[in-house]
Amino acid sequence: MAIDQLDGRILVLLAREPRIGVLEMSRRLGVARGTVQARLDRLQSSGVIQGFGPQVDPAALGYPVTAFATLQIRQGQGPDVRAHLASVPEVLELHTTTGTGDMRCRLVARSNADLQRVIDRVVGFDGIVRASTAIVMENPVPLRIIPLVEQAAADSEGH
Amino acid sequence: MAIDQLDGRILVLLAREPRIGVLEMSRRLGVARGTVQARLDRLQSSGVIQGFGPQVDPAALGYPVTAFATLQIRQGQGPDVRAHLASVPEVLELHTTTGTGDMRCRLVARSNADLQRVIDRVVGFDGIVRASTAIVMENPVPLRIIPLVEQAAADSEGH
DNA sequence: CGTACCGCTGAGCATATTGCCCAGCAGAAA
DNA sequence: TTTCTGCTGGGCAATATGCTCAGCGGTACG
């Protein structure tokens, strides 16, 4: 479950050069190919690596506006609201958080004007009591995992 | 910049079976290998596909707790606060949003107790005026892009 | 102390894929 | 008509993959 230094180096290498092959990886890391193969299999089957899906930029797809919405849900309407939000393509992510019936979702839109349409569609659903939205201006730290991987690998040093 | 149906099918296929090769993709899609190759190159150079980095599960790394923090920043301290937050491995993402000096970040921690340590480290910085945190309980819609890709591809139908 | 067990190594082999080339062809634009 | 662009289908050498194997050093356990 915990990862060691070699696992960490594999993950970092993979994050930096994702299209790299197993053979090339083994050369860079100075270990046998079978070892990298086995580590990768283990990382995937243990769930540390969930996949290698392409990271698609919504902006390049024509959706340059990102926003976060905080929703308050009427008691008992949770499942319905989830299904509703899941059916909206512009909802990229949804979490339920502490707080009475609170959800937060990440939205994208084609423009600020289009965001209004998206929000209307999102909150125009019975069961959503209240909604507040914050538009993203900058993204100083894009979603990342490498620093955490390095810390986790370092933590496992002193076994 | 906009994607067509073939691009959309490539992205969906790639999202479903990321380790698939160009040759196999061309077979599944019923087009020539060179075509898929060219489309992939274009998707990458145009920025639609940012990369194929491994999707690492923080929970499997030993960080099962996720939280969102909303920070209020003192005027003019933005750059310093950003640099500080970027230096904390548990900060996975950071956005600046509308609102007076507002930032939101995504945090992970080893436990609820550990979250306190992380928050202390995050907010224990001159320039952060106020902070509120919400712990994530469920993630009904994990970060996704396929529905948006399909919509974008469908929108380009009527050229 | 001896004996399993486990992970890593280094190697080999048949098969599949890649990167790169080419000529031909259809549709759109000029 | 002519030119351009994108897709096709093919071929080629080089490379990577999946799989197997025996050897070898640790560590755990009786």
Side-chain angles (χ1 to χ4, degrees):
Chain A
M1 177 124 283
I3 64 172
D4 65 8
Q5 314 89 283
L6 181 54
D7 289 323
R9 290 204 296 153
I10 289 175
L11 288 173
V12 171
L13 187 53
L14 218 38
R16 268 198 256 277
E17 303 179 53
R19 274 328 224 188
I20 201 175
V22 175
L23 184 56
E24 179 63 20
M25 237 186 288
S26 71
R27 282 194 282 253
R28 304 266 188 100
L29 298 174
V31 296
R33 178 164 68 110
T35 304
V36 176
Q37 196 77 261
R39 294 302 190 105
L40 267 183
D41 289 347
R42 195 173 62 77
L43 286 172
Q44 293 199 67
S45 60
S46 73
V48 174
I49 296 180
Q50 295 183 311
F52 294 89
Q55 296 159 332
V56 177
D57 181 13
L61 236 43
Y63 294 82
V65 177
T66 296
F68 288 100
T70 303
L71 310 175
Q72 192 168 14
I73 310 304
R74 187 176 306 136
Q75 291 284 348
Q77 299 291 296
D80 294 333
V81 173
R82 283 175 213 190
H84 166 246
L85 293 174
S87 75
V88 179
E90 287 91 350
V91 174
L92 298 191
E93 199 177 20
L94 173 65
H95 291 93
T96 65
T97 63
T98 50
T100 53
D102 267 2
M103 292 189 183
R104 339 193 129 199
C105 60
R106 176 193 300 241
L107 307 172
V108 292
R110 293 190 173 281
S111 65
N112 283 341
D114 186 53
L115 181 59
Q116 187 61 55
R117 176 190 62 79
V118 174
I119 291 174
D120 287 344
R121 180 168 174 195
V122 163
V123 306
F125 186 83
D126 199 42
I128 298 181
V129 175
R130 204 168 45 77
S132 70
T133 311
I135 298 179
V136 169
M137 295 189 292
E138 281 185 284
N139 186 21
V141 179
L143 196 51
R144 65 178 184 180
I145 194 69
I146 290 190
L148 194 69
V149 166
E150 287 172 338
Q151 174 167 298
D155 284 356
S156 70
E157 276 286 345
H159 56 307
Chain B
M1 178 123 283
I3 65 173
D4 65 9
Q5 311 91 283
L6 182 54
D7 289 323
R9 290 203 297 153
I10 288 176
L11 287 173
V12 171
L13 186 54
L14 218 38
R16 269 198 254 280
E17 303 178 53
R19 273 329 223 188
I20 201 176
V22 174
L23 185 56
E24 179 63 20
M25 237 185 289
S26 71
R27 282 194 283 253
R28 304 268 188 101
L29 298 174
V31 296
R33 179 165 68 111
T35 304
V36 176
Q37 196 77 262
R39 293 302 190 105
L40 267 183
D41 289 347
R42 195 174 63 78
L43 286 171
Q44 293 198 67
S45 61
S46 74
V48 174
I49 296 180
Q50 294 183 309
F52 294 89
Q55 296 159 331
V56 178
D57 181 13
L61 236 44
Y63 295 82
V65 177
T66 296
F68 289 98
T70 302
L71 310 175
Q72 192 169 14
I73 310 304
R74 186 176 308 135
Q75 291 284 350
Q77 298 291 297
D80 294 335
V81 172
R82 284 174 214 193
H84 166 246
L85 292 174
S87 75
V88 179
E90 287 92 351
V91 174
L92 299 191
E93 199 178 19
L94 173 65
H95 290 94
T96 65
T97 63
T98 50
T100 54
D102 267 2
M103 292 188 183
R104 336 194 132 199
C105 61
R106 175 193 300 241
L107 307 172
V108 293
R110 294 191 173 280
S111 65
N112 284 340
D114 186 53
L115 182 59
Q116 186 61 55
R117 177 189 62 79
V118 174
I119 292 175
D120 287 345
R121 179 165 173 197
V122 163
V123 306
F125 185 82
D126 198 43
I128 297 181
V129 175
R130 203 167 44 80
S132 70
T133 311
I135 298 178
V136 170
M137 296 190 291
E138 282 185 283
N139 186 199
V141 180
L143 197 52
R144 65 178 185 179
I145 194 70
I146 291 189
L148 195 69
V149 167
E150 288 172 338
Q151 174 167 298
D155 284 355
S156 70
E157 276 285 346
H159 58 304

